[in-house]
Coordinates of all heavy atoms in Angstrom, one line a residue:
Y281 N -115.8 -101.0 -36.0 CA -117.0 -100.6 -36.9 C -116.9 -99.1 -37.2 O -116.2 -98.3 -36.5 CB -118.3 -100.9 -36.1 CG -118.5 -102.4 -36.1 CD1 -118.0 -103.2 -35.0 CD2 -119.2 -103.0 -37.1 CE1 -118.2 -104.6 -35.0 CE2 -119.4 -104.4 -37.1 CZ -118.9 -105.2 -36.1 OH -119.1 -106.5 -36.1
P282 N -117.6 -98.7 -38.3 CA -117.5 -97.3 -38.7 C -117.7 -96.3 -37.5 O -117.0 -95.3 -37.4 CB -118.5 -97.1 -39.8 CG -118.5 -98.5 -40.4 CD -118.3 -99.5 -39.3
H283 N -118.7 -96.6 -36.6 CA -118.9 -95.6 -35.6 C -117.8 -95.5 -34.6 O -117.7 -94.6 -33.7 CB -120.3 -95.9 -34.8 CG -120.2 -97.1 -33.9 ND1 -120.5 -98.3 -34.3 CD2 -119.9 -97.2 -32.6 CE1 -120.3 -99.2 -33.3 NE2 -120.0 -98.5 -32.2
E284 N -116.9 -96.5 -34.7 CA -115.7 -96.4 -33.8 C -114.5 -95.8 -34.4 O -113.4 -95.8 -33.9 CB -115.3 -97.9 -33.4 CG -116.4 -98.6 -32.6 CD -116.2 -100.1 -32.4 OE1 -115.8 -100.7 -33.4 OE2 -116.3 -100.6 -31.3
L285 N -114.7 -95.2 -35.6 CA -113.6 -94.6 -36.4 C -113.8 -93.1 -36.5 O -114.9 -92.7 -36.5 CB -113.5 -95.2 -37.8 CG -113.3 -96.7 -37.9 CD1 -113.5 -97.2 -39.3 CD2 -111.9 -97.1 -37.4
S286 N -112.7 -92.4 -36.6 CA -112.8 -90.9 -36.8 C -113.2 -90.7 -38.3 O -113.1 -91.6 -39.1 CB -111.5 -90.3 -36.5 OG -110.5 -90.6 -37.6
G287 N -113.5 -89.5 -38.6 CA -113.9 -89.1 -40.0 C -112.7 -89.5 -41.0 O -113.0 -90.0 -42.0
G288 N -111.5 -89.1 -40.6 CA -110.4 -89.4 -41.4 C -110.2 -90.9 -41.7 O -109.9 -91.3 -42.8
M289 N -110.4 -91.7 -40.6 CA -110.3 -93.1 -40.7 C -111.3 -93.7 -41.6 O -111.1 -94.6 -42.4 CB -110.4 -93.8 -39.3 CG -109.2 -93.5 -38.4 SD -109.6 -94.1 -36.8 CE -108.0 -93.9 -36.0
K290 N -112.5 -93.2 -41.5 CA -113.6 -93.7 -42.3 C -113.3 -93.4 -43.8 O -113.5 -94.3 -44.7 CB -115.0 -93.0 -42.0 CG -115.6 -93.6 -40.8 CD -117.0 -93.0 -40.6 CE -117.0 -92.1 -39.4 NZ -118.2 -91.8 -38.8
Q291 N -112.7 -92.2 -44.0 CA -112.4 -91.9 -45.4 C -111.3 -92.8 -45.9 O -111.3 -93.2 -47.1 CB -112.1 -90.4 -45.5 CG -112.6 -89.7 -46.7 CD -114.0 -90.0 -47.2 OE1 -114.5 -91.2 -47.1 NE2 -114.7 -89.1 -47.7
R292 N -110.3 -93.1 -45.0 CA -109.3 -94.1 -45.4 C -109.8 -95.4 -45.8 O -109.4 -96.1 -46.7 CB -108.3 -94.2 -44.3 CG -107.4 -93.1 -44.0 CD -106.3 -93.6 -43.0 NE -105.2 -92.7 -43.0 CZ -105.0 -91.8 -42.0 NH1 -105.9 -91.6 -41.1 NH2 -103.9 -91.0 -42.1
V293 N -110.8 -95.9 -45.0 CA -111.5 -97.2 -45.3 C -112.1 -97.1 -46.7 O -112.0 -98.0 -47.5 CB -112.5 -97.6 -44.2 CG1 -113.2 -98.9 -44.6 CG2 -111.8 -97.7 -42.9
A294 N -112.8 -96.0 -46.9 CA -113.5 -95.8 -48.2 C -112.5 -95.9 -49.4 O -112.7 -96.5 -50.4 CB -114.3 -94.5 -48.3
I295 N -111.3 -95.3 -49.1 CA -110.3 -95.3 -50.2 C -109.7 -96.7 -50.4 O -109.5 -97.2 -51.5 CB -109.1 -94.3 -49.8 CG1 -109.7 -92.8 -49.9 CG2 -107.9 -94.4 -50.8 CD1 -108.8 -91.8 -49.3
A296 N -109.5 -97.3 -49.2 CA -108.9 -98.7 -49.3 C -109.9 -99.6 -50.0 O -109.5 -100.4 -50.9 CB -108.7 -99.3 -47.9

Side-chain angles (χ1 to χ4, degrees):
Y281 287 90
H283 75 270
E284 299 168 314
L285 300 171
S286 72
M289 290 171 173
K290 280 188 249 196
Q291 220 40 326
R292 284 190 164 100
V293 175
I295 292 168

